[in-house]
Amino acid sequence: KISNSPLGVRGIYYRLIALWVLCEAMLGGIIHGFKIPVSGLVVGSCAIVCICLIAWYVPNKGAIIKATIIVAIFKMMLSPQAPPPAYIAVFFQGLLGEAIFWNRRFYRLSCILLAVLGLLESGLQRILMLTIVYGNDLWKVVNNFINGLTKQKVSTNYSLWIGAGYVALHLITGILVGWWASLLPKRIEKWSKEEKYSMITDRATSIGLPATSKK
């Protein structure tokens, strides 16, 4: 059960869900609109950070699953142009996060494992979808094109190297993102104690705003 305190666990929980929604719907929609090929890498990394923070601040069973469903609903509303594989990635990351963080004793290792598996799924999914849509002929065309440019006598499987490099990029990014996400809670706690990050408001001070005209 999540606390009802607006400034406690409940408030943090829904703020993290809102951040996740912004990453999935807004950032994902912008990247999808510009046809940037690393959408899964960027959006997936942001989603994994949000999941790791939810696991730290809301150690309740089922909290990540509930957050995943809310994010998917708002993603459908705010970013209807998102393709079905995007929702597969969201639910995969959410279910994987719930399973990995079921026992939160090894938080850092869990963050790295979630990031690596989540981003690897995104990279492999992109390659699989290209193969399903265009068939194996796509990779043959890539090989023939590059071999024609290099004018090699022995044909080289460049598509395999490109695919392996794409997956390796997701693997390395997953390790870095997972490690960084595991350090965030301690850093946030440290930042909250430093005065330079504090916002002090004086209720006695009022700011005059111009009256709005009725139109």
Side-chain angles (χ1 to χ4, degrees):
K1 186 177 180 180
I2 300 174
S3 171
N4 292 324
S5 173
L7 298 177
V9 177
R10 187 182 182 89
I12 294 173
Y13 180 59
Y14 286 108
R15 288 173 186 176
L16 288 173
I17 292 177
L19 179 61
W20 190 359
V21 169
L22 287 174
C23 294
E24 288 286 348
M26 300 301 180
L27 182 60
I30 293 172
I31 293 176
H32 179 73
F34 284 101
K35 305 296 182 181
I36 302 175
V38 291
S39 59
L41 191 67
V42 177
V43 179
S45 298
C46 296
I48 286 165
V49 171
C50 293
I51 293 173
C52 292
L53 291 177
I54 290 174
W56 177 268
Y57 289 106
V58 191
N60 302 90
K61 306 299 183 185
I64 297 177
I65 292 295
K66 179 182 177 182
T68 304
I69 296 173
I70 295 174
V71 169
I73 293 173
F74 276 94
K75 182 180 179 68
M76 188 178 298
M77 294 169 58
L78 299 175
S79 184
Q81 76 277 7
Y87 295 96
I88 296 176
V90 170
F91 280 103
F92 178 84
Q93 291 165 357
L95 293 172
L96 184 64
E98 183 68 32
I100 290 177
F101 287 109
W102 190 262
N103 185 352
R104 291 168 171 80
R105 290 179 57 189
F106 307 100
Y107 180 74
R108 179 168 298 179
L109 179 61
S110 299
C111 289
I112 296 174
L113 186 61
L114 172 64
V116 169
L117 294 179
L119 292 185
L120 278 179
E121 184 273 339
S122 177
L124 292 173
Q125 183 190 96
R126 177 62 61 88
I127 295 175
L128 181 61
M129 290 301 300
L130 287 175
T131 305
I132 292 175
V133 173
Y134 299 105
N136 291 325
D137 292 336
L138 171 65
W139 310 117
K140 294 179 181 178
V141 169
V142 171
N143 290 333
N144 293 334
F145 176 74
I146 299 178
N147 283 314
L149 289 178
T150 57
K151 297 180 180 180
Q152 295 181 176
K153 295 181 179 180
V154 179
S155 179
T156 304
N157 192 353
Y158 285 102
S159 61
L160 179 62
W161 286 101
I162 294 173
Y166 187 73
V167 173
L169 175 63
H170 284 72
L171 174 63
I172 296 172
T173 305
I175 296 173
L176 296 177
V177 169
W179 181 266
W180 184 72
S182 68
L183 300 177
L184 264 183
K186 297 296 184 182
R187 290 186 177 183
I188 292 173
E189 183 180 356
K190 178 183 177 182
W191 294 334
S192 64
K193 296 178 181 178
E194 296 183 9
E195 293 183 359
K196 63 180 179 180
Y197 296 113
S198 300
M199 294 181 63
I200 302 174
T201 58
D202 186 3
R203 293 186 178 181
T205 305
S206 60
I207 301 175
L209 297 177
T212 58
S213 59
K214 296 182 180 180
K215 294 183 180 181

